[in-house]
Amino acid sequence: MTSSDPIPSDMPDFGIKHLTAEDLAARDPGWDAANFGADTALCPSSLDEVKTIVEYCAKTATPIVTQGGRTGLAGGAASGIGQVVVMMQGMNTIREIDARTQVAVVDAGVTLAQLEYAITPLGLTVGIDLAARGSCTIGGMVATNAGGVEAFRNGVMRQRVLGVEAVLPDGTVLSDLKKVIKANEGYDVKQLLIGSEGTLGIITGVVLKLEKATGNRKTVLASTKSAGATLAYFNRLSDAFGGRLLSAEIMWHDYFATTCKELGIKRGLGLTKGETYMIADVEVLQSDDKLLNVLAQSLEADEILDAVLGKNEKESQQIWQVREDSFLIDTAFPGGCWFDISIPLGQLDVFVRDSTARIHAIDPDLRVFVMGHIGDGNLHYTIAKEDAPIPHLYGDIATALYTGLNAIGGSFSAEHGIGTEKRASLEKFADPGKLALMRGLKAAIDPQNIMNPGKVLRAQSTDAKG
Ligand SMILES: Cc1cc2nc3c(=O)[nH]c(=O)nc-3n(C[C@H](O)[C@H](O)[C@H](O)COP(=O)(O)OP(=O)(O)OC[C@H]3O[C@@H](n4cnc5c(N)ncnc54)[C@H](O)[C@@H]3O)c2cc1C
């Protein structure tokens, strides 16, 4: 089947079929307008329906693009004419929750917020959290190996998933719904599906390890004079609170000041100006005394310059908005380029300083907005220019930013995945041996290349830019 062929009329109908442009326009395409490039979308509600769709597509060599909540940020859910979008949001049953063993079994289309809502009354939490929680699906989070703000203590999706159910490209059902941590039964095939971005099969069910919910959460925002000082402060909080340090996010001044301005927050919440800022959530037991003591020690040790505590839920939410409403950077400076990298923590200061200098060598007027998850060294960069979109600079900036990352043991792709956005970077920066193995696995599991073709790995017959 070529990209201009119409979708055949004998395609099985599972409720949503041959959506018109108007039907699609009425739905939320998510963060990438290209998600609705295809003219056919199906919305299965069971494993059997997914299997029938895949068998049909395997027989007719029809390319499939699986979509969850369409919140992915790497172009992995983009679709085109001649492709079939399989929307997983219709498969949204929470199959089982075992509060005693802290395990949940869910359909892939269940959203993170839906699961969190169901388990909160049981004193449990998913143990992974991100700003797209209302829309992103568990299947999409598995497919992108999502990380988020709690990854530094609970791990990324790879560490949260105990079992997976999926339909492979020939229609075979892989039912590996284990509920245990230890299962040495040969190759760990579920780990291949985790982070595969829809290129090896459609994930239909997931077994997740849950965590005990935390109690009284306090949010504190501090300004610091450098990333190194922020790291020292993070370590002090971590030593004092251990597992009760729930999240820790870093923002450089330009990011902080711009989101504050866009939110209408005056004078940066009254904080002394810093080079960097850190938001931390800690679980306090009886009173705030211990937290206040640690803050006093950090002030005395010159780690922080100033701090504000969220006195109630509303104030805490306002603090978090400054970090989570990252799209405000794009509102203020449209047409910028986004990057998502990991840096060994000891290199934070030097790497951000040096990479900013390399970016300014491309154009001194470029603005560099940096924030991220300090606990695991994952930084998100937005590079933009006042009144001038800069998509043409993506490749140059990527090279400037990624240079030296391999040598220090970092990664050019921390948590958003490869999709189409970072294919070229994967080819340039990944180990050649690993790339060859990835290509071999893809060819063995999906010989017709029908599962999300051209995502992660360039389709061998095309020369599309990645
Ligand atoms: C505001 C915002 C904040 C974010 N914050 C974070 C963050 O802190 N940490 C982080 O890791 N990510 C973050 N993300 C991106 C993150 O990747 C997604 O939010 C989420 O993991 C994707 O889930 P989804 O259901 O929306 O998947 P989609 O966007 O629909 O799909 C993403 C990819 O997964 C594939 N896919 C989806 N469902 C399935 C399935 N059932 N089977 C096989 N393949 C499938 C798609 O083909 C595509 O390649 C953020 C995104 C937004 C918009």
Side-chain angles (χ1 to χ4, degrees):
M1 184 160 171
T2 67
S3 61
S4 56
D5 288 338
I7 297 295
S9 58
D10 66 340
M11 171 169 282
D13 184 347
F14 298 114
I16 299 177
K17 183 185 171 188
H18 294 206
L19 287 188
T20 62
E22 292 81 50
D23 292 331
L24 288 173
R27 289 177 164 251
D28 179 6
W31 287 69
D32 189 347
N35 286 344
F36 283 166
D39 52 2
T40 295
L42 297 171
C43 194
S45 54
S46 68
L47 170 64
D48 279 350
E49 289 184 355
V50 174
K51 182 173 159 60
T52 311
I53 294 170
V54 175
E55 280 172 348
Y56 173 86
C57 290
K59 197 173 74 191
T60 55
T62 305
I64 295 172
V65 177
T66 308
Q67 294 183 354
R70 294 179 288 278
T71 66
L73 298 173
S79 64
I81 299 290
Q83 300 185 328
V84 171
V85 169
V86 177
M87 293 182 175
M88 294 302 289
Q89 284 151 316
M91 213 176 149
N92 57 9
T93 302
I94 295 176
R95 299 184 194 175
E96 184 187 336
I97 297 169
D98 188 332
R100 260 179 332 142
T101 56
Q102 297 178 206
V103 166
V105 187
V106 301
D107 278 356
V110 166
T111 64
L112 176 58
Q114 183 188 346
L115 180 57
E116 198 68 55
Y117 183 76
I119 62 179
T120 299
L122 304 172
L124 297 171
T125 177
V126 181
I128 195 158
D129 190 27
L130 39 106
R133 57 186 79 80
S135 309
C136 66
T137 61
I138 300 298
M141 290 171 66
V142 174
T144 55
N145 184 27
V149 299
E150 298 181 348
F152 76 97
R153 63 191 191 103
N154 293 331
V156 296
M157 223 48 188
R158 256 183 223 296
Q159 285 89 44
R160 311 300 308 159
V161 174
L162 297 174
V164 157
E165 174 192 88
V167 180
L168 302 178
D170 64 354
T172 301
V173 172
L174 171 82
S175 189
D176 190 20
L177 293 169
K178 292 274 189 291
K179 295 177 177 169
V180 289
I181 293 174
K182 293 182 178 174
N184 272 343
E185 300 178 357
Y187 303 143
D188 193 351
V189 172
K190 74 171 182 301
Q191 289 294 347
L192 262 185
L193 287 161
I194 301 173
S196 64
E197 299 181 52
T199 62
L200 298 180
I202 300 182
I203 297 158
T204 51
V206 182
V207 186
L208 284 174
K209 193 158 97 59
L210 305 174
E211 295 295 322
K212 286 219 167 10
T214 46
N216 190 14
R217 188 180 270 257
K218 263 283 173 244
T219 300
V220 56
L221 169 68
S223 59
T224 63
K225 63 179 176 197
S226 67
T230 308
L231 187 57
Y233 165 55
F234 167 79
N235 284 334
R236 190 182 290 274
L237 278 175
S238 187
D239 288 347
F241 288 95
R244 290 192 292 116
L245 173 59
L246 307 176
S247 41
E249 300 285 295
I250 187 168
M251 297 167 280
W252 268 255
H253 179 74
D254 241 8
Y255 177 92
F256 176 78
T258 305
T259 51
C260 277
K261 186 172 167 219
E262 292 296 312
L263 287 166
I265 294 172
K266 303 236 162 56
R267 298 185 306 282
L269 287 153
L271 277 179
T272 306
K273 184 180 169 196
E275 183 180 298
T276 42
Y277 301 80
M278 185 174 120
I279 299 180
D281 269 6
V282 292
E283 184 189 15
V284 294
L285 297 179
Q286 263 114 31
S287 73
D288 296 349
D289 289 356
K290 183 170 178 178
L291 177 58
L292 294 174
N293 276 340
V294 175
L295 290 176
Q297 287 163 16
S298 279
L299 264 174
E300 201 170 295
D302 225 9
E303 292 161 359
I304 63 173
L305 301 168
D306 202 355
V308 285
L309 275 180
K311 286 197 288 300
N312 50 44
E313 186 61 25
K314 195 168 161 227
E315 284 190 11
S316 297
Q317 271 177 11
Q318 188 184 40
I319 292 173
W320 270 101
Q321 242 186 319
V322 178
R323 155 64 185 88
E324 288 202 324
D325 287 2
S326 52
F327 61 87
L328 292 172
I329 301 291
D330 306 292
T331 310
F333 299 96
C337 304
W338 302 353
F339 300 90
D340 162 44
I341 63 175
S342 274
I343 300 161
L345 281 177
Q347 311 276 341
L348 270 187
D349 254 342
V350 174
F351 187 88
V352 173
R353 190 194 61 216
D354 291 357
S355 60
T356 303
R358 288 196 295 273
I359 290 162
H360 282 149
I362 298 169
D363 179 342
D365 291 334
L366 289 174
R367 298 282 297 269
V368 181
F369 301 97
V370 189
M371 55 84 172
H373 314 290
I374 186 165
D376 51 37
N378 175 191
L379 296 185
H380 301 299
Y381 280 59
T382 303
I383 318 296
K385 196 167 173 177
E386 216 142 333
D387 301 328
I390 53 159
H392 56 288
L393 292 181
Y394 185 91
D396 289 346
I397 298 172
T399 302
L401 190 56
Y402 300 159
T403 297
L405 268 179
N406 276 343
I408 61 171
S411 171
F412 72 91
S413 174
E415 62 176 7
H416 294 159
I418 302 296
T420 48
E421 291 262 318
K422 292 189 218 126
R423 266 184 331 196
S425 300
L426 182 76
E427 287 166 5
K428 194 166 169 185
F429 294 98
D431 170 65
K434 179 188 163 174
L435 257 183
L437 187 56
M438 283 174 66
R439 291 197 179 106
L441 286 166
K442 169 72 175 170
I445 296 169
D446 182 17
Q448 294 196 93
N449 194 23
I450 60 166
M451 284 290 169
N452 218 0
K455 311 295 169 49
V456 182
L457 294 168
R458 200 186 294 262
Q460 293 305 299
S461 56
T462 71
D463 62 352
K465 270 173 58 187

